[in-house]
mmCIF file of all heavy atoms in Angstrom:
data_model
loop_
_atom_site.group_PDB
_atom_site.id
_atom_site.type_symbol
_atom_site.label_atom_id
_atom_site.label_comp_id
_atom_site.label_asym_id
_atom_site.label_seq_id
_atom_site.Cartn_x
_atom_site.Cartn_y
_atom_site.Cartn_z
ATOM 1 N N PRO W 17 128.973 76.542 50.070
ATOM 2 C CA PRO W 17 128.510 75.261 49.529
ATOM 3 C C PRO W 17 127.295 74.688 50.232
ATOM 4 O O PRO W 17 126.495 73.971 49.639
ATOM 5 C CB PRO W 17 129.737 74.361 49.720
ATOM 6 C CG PRO W 17 130.898 75.281 49.741
ATOM 7 C CD PRO W 17 130.391 76.484 50.444
ATOM 8 N N ILE W 20 124.396 76.114 48.465
ATOM 9 C CA ILE W 20 124.267 75.549 47.133
ATOM 10 C C ILE W 20 123.694 74.151 47.202
ATOM 11 O O ILE W 20 122.776 73.777 46.460
ATOM 12 C CB ILE W 20 125.649 75.541 46.424
ATOM 13 C CG1 ILE W 20 126.111 76.975 46.187
ATOM 14 C CG2 ILE W 20 125.584 74.772 45.119
ATOM 15 C CD1 ILE W 20 127.465 77.070 45.557
ATOM 16 N N MET W 21 124.219 73.331 48.113
ATOM 17 C CA MET W 21 123.760 71.961 48.213
ATOM 18 C C MET W 21 122.325 71.880 48.705
ATOM 19 O O MET W 21 121.583 70.966 48.375
ATOM 20 C CB MET W 21 124.678 71.157 49.156
ATOM 21 C CG MET W 21 126.151 71.166 48.719
ATOM 22 S SD MET W 21 126.363 70.789 46.977
ATOM 23 C CE MET W 21 125.703 69.139 46.923
ATOM 24 N N GLU W 23 120.049 73.572 47.663
ATOM 25 C CA GLU W 23 119.183 73.753 46.513
ATOM 26 C C GLU W 23 119.151 72.510 45.629
ATOM 27 O O GLU W 23 118.576 72.510 44.548
ATOM 28 C CB GLU W 23 119.684 74.948 45.673
ATOM 29 C CG GLU W 23 119.620 76.276 46.421
ATOM 30 C CD GLU W 23 118.191 76.635 46.799
ATOM 31 O OE1 GLU W 23 117.270 76.357 46.003
ATOM 32 O OE2 GLU W 23 117.982 77.184 47.891
ATOM 33 N N GLY W 24 119.821 71.433 46.099
ATOM 34 C CA GLY W 24 119.738 70.168 45.363
ATOM 35 C C GLY W 24 120.833 69.970 44.339
ATOM 36 O O GLY W 24 120.702 69.155 43.434
ATOM 37 N N ALA W 25 121.952 70.698 44.453
ATOM 38 C CA ALA W 25 123.042 70.533 43.498
ATOM 39 C C ALA W 25 123.707 69.181 43.698
ATOM 40 O O ALA W 25 123.600 68.562 44.743
ATOM 41 C CB ALA W 25 124.078 71.655 43.666
ATOM 42 N N GLU W 26 124.479 68.749 42.686
ATOM 43 C CA GLU W 26 125.132 67.457 42.708
ATOM 44 C C GLU W 26 126.158 67.403 43.843
ATOM 45 O O GLU W 26 126.832 68.380 44.146
ATOM 46 C CB GLU W 26 125.838 67.237 41.360
ATOM 47 C CG GLU W 26 126.387 65.840 41.193
ATOM 48 C CD GLU W 26 126.973 65.682 39.816
ATOM 49 O OE1 GLU W 26 126.796 66.597 39.020
ATOM 50 O OE2 GLU W 26 127.613 64.662 39.549
ATOM 51 N N THR W 27 126.300 66.232 44.488
ATOM 52 C CA THR W 27 127.110 66.152 45.703
ATOM 53 C C THR W 27 128.453 65.505 45.512
ATOM 54 O O THR W 27 129.233 65.461 46.438
ATOM 55 C CB THR W 27 126.339 65.356 46.778
ATOM 56 O OG1 THR W 27 126.071 64.044 46.285
ATOM 57 C CG2 THR W 27 125.070 66.048 47.161
ATOM 58 N N THR W 28 128.768 64.967 44.362
ATOM 59 C CA THR W 28 130.033 64.270 44.186
ATOM 60 C C THR W 28 131.162 65.275 43.938
ATOM 61 O O THR W 28 131.072 66.106 43.046
ATOM 62 C CB THR W 28 129.955 63.315 42.983
ATOM 63 O OG1 THR W 28 128.869 62.417 43.185
ATOM 64 C CG2 THR W 28 131.258 62.540 42.849
ATOM 65 N N ASN W 29 132.212 65.217 44.751
ATOM 66 C CA ASN W 29 133.346 66.119 44.598
ATOM 67 C C ASN W 29 134.213 65.670 43.429
ATOM 68 O O ASN W 29 134.296 64.490 43.117
ATOM 69 C CB ASN W 29 134.196 66.132 45.868
ATOM 70 C CG ASN W 29 133.509 66.880 46.988
ATOM 71 O OD1 ASN W 29 132.551 67.593 46.741
ATOM 72 N ND2 ASN W 29 133.992 66.699 48.201
ATOM 73 N N ASN W 51 128.796 60.842 52.879
ATOM 74 C CA ASN W 51 129.600 61.567 51.894
ATOM 75 C C ASN W 51 130.770 62.283 52.577
ATOM 76 O O ASN W 51 131.880 62.328 52.070
ATOM 77 C CB ASN W 51 128.771 62.568 51.115
ATOM 78 C CG ASN W 51 127.850 61.880 50.136
ATOM 79 O OD1 ASN W 51 128.116 60.767 49.697
ATOM 80 N ND2 ASN W 51 126.743 62.527 49.782
ATOM 81 N N LYS W 545 133.254 68.777 53.853
ATOM 82 C CA LYS W 545 133.571 67.961 52.682
ATOM 83 C C LYS W 545 133.863 68.799 51.439
ATOM 84 O O LYS W 545 134.280 68.247 50.411
ATOM 85 C CB LYS W 545 132.430 67.000 52.371
ATOM 86 C CG LYS W 545 131.130 67.649 51.976
ATOM 87 C CD LYS W 545 130.088 66.576 51.661
ATOM 88 C CE LYS W 545 128.760 67.192 51.255
ATOM 89 N NZ LYS W 545 127.765 66.155 50.923
ATOM 90 N N TYR W 546 133.704 70.114 51.537
ATOM 91 C CA TYR W 546 133.939 70.967 50.383
ATOM 92 C C TYR W 546 135.243 71.779 50.486
ATOM 93 O O TYR W 546 135.853 72.095 49.467
ATOM 94 C CB TYR W 546 132.788 71.969 50.213
ATOM 95 C CG TYR W 546 131.424 71.342 50.276
ATOM 96 C CD1 TYR W 546 130.580 71.569 51.359
ATOM 97 C CD2 TYR W 546 130.966 70.505 49.260
ATOM 98 C CE1 TYR W 546 129.332 70.993 51.433
ATOM 99 C CE2 TYR W 546 129.727 69.926 49.331
ATOM 100 C CZ TYR W 546 128.900 70.164 50.413
ATOM 101 O OH TYR W 546 127.657 69.579 50.479
ATOM 102 N N ASP W 593 135.877 72.456 46.676
ATOM 103 C CA ASP W 593 135.186 71.607 45.710
ATOM 104 C C ASP W 593 133.686 71.748 45.961
ATOM 105 O O ASP W 593 133.148 71.168 46.911
ATOM 106 C CB ASP W 593 135.602 70.145 45.877
ATOM 107 C CG ASP W 593 136.946 69.865 45.223
ATOM 108 O OD1 ASP W 593 137.179 70.393 44.126
ATOM 109 O OD2 ASP W 593 137.740 69.130 45.820
ATOM 110 N N ILE W 594 133.028 72.522 45.110
ATOM 111 C CA ILE W 594 131.605 72.793 45.341
ATOM 112 C C ILE W 594 130.766 71.619 44.846
ATOM 113 O O ILE W 594 130.024 70.999 45.608
ATOM 114 C CB ILE W 594 131.205 74.099 44.619
ATOM 115 C CG1 ILE W 594 132.087 75.256 45.120
ATOM 116 C CG2 ILE W 594 129.735 74.399 44.860
ATOM 117 C CD1 ILE W 594 131.938 76.535 44.361
ATOM 118 N N THR W 595 130.840 71.316 43.582
ATOM 119 C CA THR W 595 130.265 70.105 43.004
ATOM 120 C C THR W 595 131.267 69.612 41.975
ATOM 121 O O THR W 595 132.285 70.242 41.716
ATOM 122 C CB THR W 595 128.904 70.376 42.322
ATOM 123 O OG1 THR W 595 129.110 71.296 41.237
ATOM 124 C CG2 THR W 595 127.904 70.937 43.304
ATOM 125 N N LYS W 596 130.966 68.489 41.371
ATOM 126 C CA LYS W 596 131.911 67.895 40.434
ATOM 127 C C LYS W 596 132.242 68.869 39.307
ATOM 128 O O LYS W 596 131.361 69.340 38.594
ATOM 129 C CB LYS W 596 131.330 66.606 39.850
ATOM 130 C CG LYS W 596 132.293 65.883 38.930
ATOM 131 C CD LYS W 596 131.722 64.574 38.431
ATOM 132 C CE LYS W 596 132.727 63.859 37.547
ATOM 133 N NZ LYS W 596 132.197 62.567 37.046
ATOM 134 N N GLY W 597 133.537 69.170 39.164
ATOM 135 C CA GLY W 597 133.991 70.073 38.105
ATOM 136 C C GLY W 597 133.833 71.533 38.426
ATOM 137 O O GLY W 597 134.240 72.386 37.636
ATOM 138 N N ASN W 598 133.272 71.857 39.588
ATOM 139 C CA ASN W 598 133.099 73.257 40.003
ATOM 140 C C ASN W 598 133.931 73.453 41.267
ATOM 141 O O ASN W 598 133.642 72.870 42.304
ATOM 142 C CB ASN W 598 131.635 73.564 40.277
ATOM 143 C CG ASN W 598 130.788 73.486 39.033
ATOM 144 O OD1 ASN W 598 130.649 74.457 38.287
ATOM 145 N ND2 ASN W 598 130.203 72.305 38.777
ATOM 146 N N HIS W 632 131.913 74.206 35.690
ATOM 147 C CA HIS W 632 131.485 73.203 34.724
ATOM 148 C C HIS W 632 129.954 73.092 34.822
ATOM 149 O O HIS W 632 129.413 72.123 35.350
ATOM 150 C CB HIS W 632 132.146 71.873 35.040
ATOM 151 C CG HIS W 632 131.974 70.849 33.972
ATOM 152 N ND1 HIS W 632 132.300 69.523 34.142
ATOM 153 C CD2 HIS W 632 131.485 70.921 32.710
ATOM 154 C CE1 HIS W 632 132.033 68.848 33.052
ATOM 155 N NE2 HIS W 632 131.534 69.682 32.167
#
Side-chain angles (χ1 to χ4, degrees):
I20 294 178
M21 302 313 297
E23 297 298 323
E26 188 177 352
T27 59
T28 304
N29 287 346
N51 287 335
K545 65 179 180 179
Y546 312 110
D593 281 320
I594 303 171
T595 62
K596 184 177 181 180
N598 295 273
H632 190 191

